Amino acid sequence: MANPFVHIELTTTDIDKAKTFYQGLFDWELTDQEIGPGMTYTMIKVGEGTGGGMMQAPTPGMPSAWMPYVLVDDVVAATAKAKSLGATICHEVMEVMDAGSLAIITDPTGATLGFWQPKAK
């Protein structure tokens, strides 16, 4: 598969409740990482399969939701192509620490999807 799902992310209204629930339900390994002043991102290790992360919703009133990320070779080109095919760009391309770059789109049917390009090694 050329563009597999590589990361699944939960943005939640109650991070502590979500962590307790999912760790109890699936016995996932959760590791908190500081990603900025007062900002924590929880990495999810699932064993086999695609891992992910979870974080507190950054905007008041934002609903809790899971979002998948797809691996792309060029996040800028993938975002431009999606836009040319009718997608709305929810979050322009941004670098994520020293890990890579992401962008978030909404497809013409209203579904949201993230693009992920790891940083070249």
Side-chain angles (χ1 to χ4, degrees), residues 13-30:
T13 58
D14 189 331
I15 189 68
D16 292 329
K17 188 182 281 187
K19 286 161 94 174
T20 299
F21 175 79
Y22 286 108
Q23 194 166 33
L25 181 64
F26 298 124
D27 198 30
W28 287 342
E29 181 182 332
L30 306 178

Side-chain angles (χ1 to χ4, degrees), residues 6-112:
V6 293
H7 189 82
I8 309 295
E9 182 174 81
L10 173 64
T11 303
T12 178
T13 58
D14 189 331
I15 189 68
D16 292 329
K17 188 182 281 187
K19 286 161 94 174
T20 299
F21 175 79
Y22 286 108
Q23 194 166 33
L25 181 64
F26 298 124
D27 198 30
W28 287 342
E29 181 182 332
L30 306 178
T31 307
D32 289 341
Q33 291 184 306
E34 292 299 316
I35 58 172
M39 297 175 63
T40 301
Y41 191 81
T42 302
M43 295 300 296
I44 303 169
K45 292 183 184 172
V46 299
E48 291 183 34
T50 301
M54 61 177 74
M55 65 182 192
Q56 183 70 36
T59 307
M62 183 177 182
S64 294
W66 284 97
M67 181 171 46
Y69 284 81
V70 173
L71 180 67
V72 296
D73 292 329
D74 184 333
V75 70
V76 173
T79 303
K81 184 176 183 179
K83 187 173 183 176
S84 77
L85 294 170
T88 302
I89 309 306
C90 301
H91 198 296
E92 292 288 345
V93 176
M94 71 172 258
E95 288 190 37
V96 179
M97 300 186 305
D98 288 329
S101 298
L102 67 80
I104 301 171
I105 61 131
T106 299
D107 75 17
T109 72
T112 303

